[in-house]
Each structure stands twice: as C-alpha cells, then as structure tokens.
Amino acid sequence: MNIGLRKINFGVISVVMFIISPFIALIALIAKLFKVDIHNLDPLKKRGPYSSYLVSKWLGNSGSAQHNRTFSIFLMPSLATFSLFVIYTFINGVYLSMTNWNGLNTGHELFVGLSNYVSMFNDYGFVYSLYKTILYSLLNIFAINIVAFFLAMLVTQNLKLKNLYRAGFFLPNLIGGLVLGYIWQFIFNRAVTSLGGSFATSLLVSGDTALLGLIIVVTWQYAGYIMMIYIAALQNVPQDLIEASKIDGANAYQRLRTIIMPLVAQAFTVSMFLTLVTSFKQYDTVMSLTNGGPGTLLPQWIASLFGLSALPAVSSNNLIALNIYQEAFSRYQLGVGQAKAIVFFIFLLSVSLLQVYYNKRKEVEL
Amino acid sequence: MKKSWLRKTFTPLLLLEILGFTLMLIFFVPLVLVIINASKDAAEIIRTPLSLPTDWSNLIKNITEIMTRDNIDYLSAFVNSFVITIVSLILIGVLSAMAAWMLVRTKTKYSFVIFMFFLAGMVIPFQVVMLPLVRLLENLRGLTGIPFKDTYHGVILAYIGFGTPLSVFMFHGFIKSIPIDIEEAAIIDGCTKPQVFFKIVLPILKPVFVTMLVLNGMWIWNDYLLPVLVIGLGGDVKTLPLSVASLAGFYDKEWALILTSVLMAALPVLILFLFAQKHIIKGMTSGAIK
C-alpha cells in the first residue's frame, strides 16, 4: 500500500481518536469498576499496520498511548465547547449572513449571495448608526482617557487617602452596564430635571444631547478602570528621571509632555484599545439608558447621500450593537442582522489593528 | 503674617487632597441618589428626588415588595445568577487551566495550532455569534431532545465557550513561567499526569486563578446580552440583570421599585468589593493589560 496515503490515514485516525478519547476514557473508567482494564492489550501481538498504530498510539498501555489519551482528555472539554459556541457559530454566521433567514424559515432559508450586504448600505438607518457609533467611540475614547489620566495623575501624588480615592473612582465599574443605564436614566430624567431652570429639560430628551448623556454615563463607569492601567504605568516611571528633569529646570508641563507621556505610551495603547472596543460593543447601557432613542432627524449630509429630499426620523442613540439586535429581533431580518454583524466585526478588527499599530510607533522602550 | 499662615495650611498637596476628596464625592452622587430614592414611596420620589427620604422604613417596604412580587422575585433571580456564575467560573477555571497546562507541556505543532485556534476566538465579538448561537441552541434541542435555551446547562455551556479563550491565554502565559522540574520530580515519584496537574500545578496557579475568577465573574454576573438571548426576559432561570430589565420595562417608571432592585442587584458585588478590593482591582486590570 502507498506509504503516503497511509500517513494521511494515520493523521485522520489520530484526529478522530483525539476527539473520541474522552468517551473511551469514560468507558475505561466504568470497566475499571468491574476490574477490567480495557487498555491491557498485548503490545507484542502481531497486527496489521492500522491496528498496531491504534494500539501503540491510542489504545494500549504504552507511555505514548497514555500521553495521547491524557492530552485529549485535558483539552477536549474546553476545546469542544469553544469550537461549538464560538468557531462553529462564527462560520455558520458567515453563511447565514448570505441567506434570507427571517426567524420563521429557520432550516429552509435560501442562499441569496451578497444581497444582504448591499441592502444594508442602502439603508440610511444603518449608515446613520455606523456614523453615530464612530462619533460616539471617538468622543468616548477622548473623554474616558483624559478623565482617567487626570485621575491617575492625581492619585499617584503623595496623598493621604489615595487608596480610598482609587477604590472610590473604581467603584462604578463594578456595577453592570444595564443597571447603570437605569440609574442614570433616573438621574437625567427625574433628579436633574427637578432642579428646574436650565436643567428642566433632560439631556436624554433631545437627539442632539442624548449622546452626551451616554458619554457621561460611560465615562463615569469606565474612567476608574482605565485609571488603574495608567496608575500602573505611572508608577513605573523612574523617579530619577523626574528628579533629573527638575534639576535641569523643566516645569511641570514640560515634564509631563517630554518624560511622563512617552514613558506611559504603552498604557495609552492598551487603554485606547480597550475603550475603542468597549465603545463599539456597547449594548446594555445604550439599551437601558434610552433604548436607542430619542428620535431625531437624519443629518442633511447622509440624506443627500441617499438622495432624500425630506429628512426622515431616526433614533439618535441607535448604536451599531443595538441596531444589529433590533434588525434581528424587532424587524425579524436575521440574515440582514447577521450581515451587519459581520461588517461590524471586520470594521472593529481593522480599526483596532490600525489603532494599535499607530500607537505602537509612539512607544518608547526604557 | 496672615498670608504665610494661609500658605502653610493650604499647601499644593492639601489642595490636591481636597480636589481628590471632592471628586470622589461627585463620583458617589449617583450611588447615593439610588440609596436615598430606594427609600421613598412612589409619590415622594416624584416630588423630591434630590432630598433625603422622610421615612427610611420605606426601604424595607420596597425590598419586601421586590422579594415577594412574583414577576420580580429577587430571591430566585439572585439564586439563578449565583448558580450560573459560580458553576461557570469553576468549570471555565479548571477546564481552561487543564487545557493550557497540556498545551504548554506538550511541545508539538498540534498544541501550537490549538493554542492559535483559541487565540483566534478572542477577537470575535459576541454580537457576531449571537444570532447563530440562538439557532445552535435550538438545533441542539432538535438533535438531543434536551432543551438548552432557558436552562442552567445551556447558559453555563455558552459561558464556558465564550470564557475559555481568554482564560486559556492567561493560564498559558503563567504556566510557561513555572519551572518544569517540580512536575518531573513528581512523575519520578510515581504520580500520573492527572495527579501532577491536580495536586501540584493547580495549587501553583492560585494567583492567576483569582485573576480569572474576578475577570470572568464580573462579566458573567453583570452580563445582559447573553442571558437575554439564551434565557429571555420571561424565562424560568432569569438572572438579576434580566429581572431588573423586565421590571423596568413592565412597570414603566415605577422608580422606587426599579431603584430598589438596582440597589439589590449591585449590592452583592459591592459587598464583595469591600472584602476583596485588592484582588478585584488587581484581577480586573492585570487581565486587561495582558
């Protein structure tokens, strides 16, 4: 028989054995209760090439067979669940994004090629949502990182209660985004408006300011967390460099600009990456704060892209993660929703790679 | 004379101290508002949302209300959240530590490929797989006859799938730094591989294990999107975020009860934070930096 073909077959057999070994182990365990060792196979017995491979590599009592079995038993539980729930669903998702799946025809949906992708970009609501997500992410990255860096600078000074402040600033981050959204909905709509005067209308009522409300909530939640990353970086800045710059007559701003900032650039890379990814994926706070609303008019420039003369109404805080969810579960366009999710994934991946690449160039090694 | 006294007392450091303290108080305002408004009745909360409650006993009244009304049922939501979080955490921890250890200690191209496979899973956001996930759970029911949606095991399996990559990655990095000599000595003394792992390696992994518990624990406890898809707002094994969301959706603007349930949902984590503050902060940030 062809040796090359046999090698391929051995490869296939070992993958199969890798997958089913945990089940064999279960049988072996039960057999052991009845004092039977199913792996007790005579290694010297004359066998064909395949069965001798199976015995020596998987089923027998040899060291290599035992190792292969433990390898499989240790890896399979997590690998199998992970493959099923993440990898399989992802690949399935790529296929489903090219079907007319609408929730009712599950199992009978038809392949429609790329038409979901085309129709998605013909939908001004989606383009608006993409634009709002990018705008939100940019503003959010700035707000969170500036506040977090400022807080980190503050609590790395020689303050008496600095540990208390750190814990205090970190605290909002422990509460889930959904719960926070409701808390702030109350604050914006009830507590602040009860002050009257120029506070009488809530930020969340108008489409122009609702995004600002969301940024306030998320900054409050996330700044303390990012602060911790900056604290770790600031504490690694060597004190002698600071001392040397003081002797050379640098003022506080110059020290910050030319010594501290370059040395904590790595923390900026990490923090901006984290804030970028969380802003893009933000779902629960957006949902609970305004559920995508309030309604507003489509901006003129997007309307002119689509050649619309009258400005249609859109939801001002309908960020992309929420838009995907609503497309799937309110409009029952699961295929289109999935296509949006794939675009979202590709977009997020490229933007974050670009951001990390760009930031990395500014880092300084000590 | 007066000026020098001022300068001596209000040093820049003291000013910073005051600034820090004020900022912290501002950070606490939303939480304080939750507590004082959870102690008011429906009428008072509309009238004076910013003042202190006239009668603190309303807090007890509100708590008993959310505990006893069947469509809120805080207690069972708490139990569900607790069971799902704890079981998922233990399984994610042990299973991914097992996998990571095997991957580090077996130096073949297969283990490298499998590790890369896990890493690839880390870049996939949940939104991309959420619709196929719901479909998969329905299909699994068709294949096996066992329901997966709205059950403990369905949610827990999903959490294991999504929690594994990051945990494997974290354990992998740590195990690489453990010298192999200890394990070899144990093998010579007659330990089998599983014994080496459970008796020697797992105890050494304690610090990363704590990091992993904190990171995944905060995520699972507070998560909303996965439970709302897998369990649903009207499900049998509703978690705390789901029960808060269904209360806020159903009793529109019944703020006293919503804020009480918000307070009760946040309370377990806040209490835990008081006792394990160091571990929680370290766990959440060191996991991110890696």
Side-chain angles (χ1 to χ4, degrees), chain B residues 22-75:
Chain B
T22 325
L23 280 175
M24 190 182 67
L25 290 184
I26 294 174
F27 259 69
F28 281 157
V29 166
L31 301 177
V32 173
L33 278 176
V34 171
I35 296 171
I36 60 174
N37 283 301
S39 319
K40 292 176 185 169
D41 61 24
E44 191 184 355
I45 210 169
I46 307 277
R47 235 179 17 248
T48 53
L50 286 174
S51 57
L52 285 175
T54 47
D55 184 5
W56 284 95
S57 70
N58 273 325
L59 181 61
I60 311 289
K61 218 186 283 170
N62 285 335
I63 290 175
T64 30
E65 176 98 29
I66 63 163
M67 292 270 193
T68 48
R69 258 200 221 178
D70 342 316
N71 40 18
I72 314 168
D73 203 3
Y74 173 83
L75 273 184

Side-chain angles (χ1 to χ4, degrees), chain A residues 222-233:
Chain A
Y222 216 57
Y225 178 62
I226 298 298
M227 171 193 78
M228 288 294 171
I229 295 171
Y230 285 129
I231 289 176

Side-chain angles (χ1 to χ4, degrees), chain B residues 234-289:
Chain B
D236 292 328
V237 293
K238 266 204 303 206
T239 59
L240 276 176
L242 288 183
S243 88
V244 173
S246 59
L247 172 68
F250 192 75
Y251 296 99
D252 206 13
K253 313 297 181 223
E254 203 168 337
W255 280 114
L257 288 187
I258 295 172
L259 290 177
T260 313
S261 76
V262 158
L263 180 68
M264 298 290 284
L267 209 57
V269 187
L270 295 181
I271 291 172
L272 193 70
F273 185 63
L274 282 183
F275 292 106
Q277 184 193 333
K278 234 177 216 162
H279 288 297
I280 290 181
I281 292 181
K282 198 176 143 260
M284 288 182 76
T285 41
S286 72
I289 293 167

Side-chain angles (χ1 to χ4, degrees), chain A residues 217-242:
Chain A
V217 179
V218 177
T219 306
W220 178 73
Q221 176 193 17
Y222 216 57
Y225 178 62
I226 298 298
M227 171 193 78
M228 288 294 171
I229 295 171
Y230 285 129
I231 289 176
L234 286 171
Q235 281 169 340
N236 283 336
V237 174
Q239 276 307 307
D240 46 348
L241 280 182
I242 308 273

Side-chain angles (χ1 to χ4, degrees), chain A residues 231-284:
Chain A
I231 289 176
L234 286 171
Q235 281 169 340
N236 283 336
V237 174
Q239 276 307 307
D240 46 348
L241 280 182
I242 308 273
E243 295 294 324
S245 71
K246 275 185 190 164
I247 292 167
D248 289 347
N251 61 28
Y253 174 73
Q254 285 168 328
R255 271 204 301 281
L256 181 70
R257 191 76 199 80
T258 58
I259 298 175
I260 297 175
M261 293 285 242
L263 284 176
V264 298
Q266 202 188 357
F268 274 105
T269 313
V270 173
S271 307
M272 285 171 76
F273 174 76
L274 284 173
T275 37
L276 173 75
V277 173
T278 36
S279 310
F280 256 85
K281 292 206 268 190
Q282 201 94 54
Y283 172 79
D284 39 12

Side-chain angles (χ1 to χ4, degrees), chain A residues 74 78 82 85 89 109 160-161 165 167 173-174 176 178-179 182 185-186 190 220 225 228 281 287 338 345, chain B residues 17 27 37 99 102 125 127-128 132-133 135 165 193 218 222 224 241 248 253 255 262 273 277 284-285 288:
Chain A
F74 269 55
S78 46
F82 165 71
F85 284 98
T89 47
E109 61 279 304
K160 285 203 181 66
L161 295 174
Y165 303 149
N173 193 54
L174 299 169
L178 178 98
V179 168
Y182 290 124
Q185 195 192 338
F186 174 77
R190 298 278 171 197
W220 178 73
Y225 178 62
M228 288 294 171
K281 292 206 268 190
M287 199 285 283
Q338 185 57 35
F345 168 65
Chain B
E17 191 91 44
F27 259 69
N37 283 301
M102 254 308 160
Q127 276 89 359
V128 180
L133 171 72
R135 193 184 159 100
K193 284 237 162 156
M218 296 301 296
N222 288 325
Y224 173 72
K253 313 297 181 223
W255 280 114
V262 158
F273 185 63
Q277 184 193 333
M284 288 182 76
T285 41

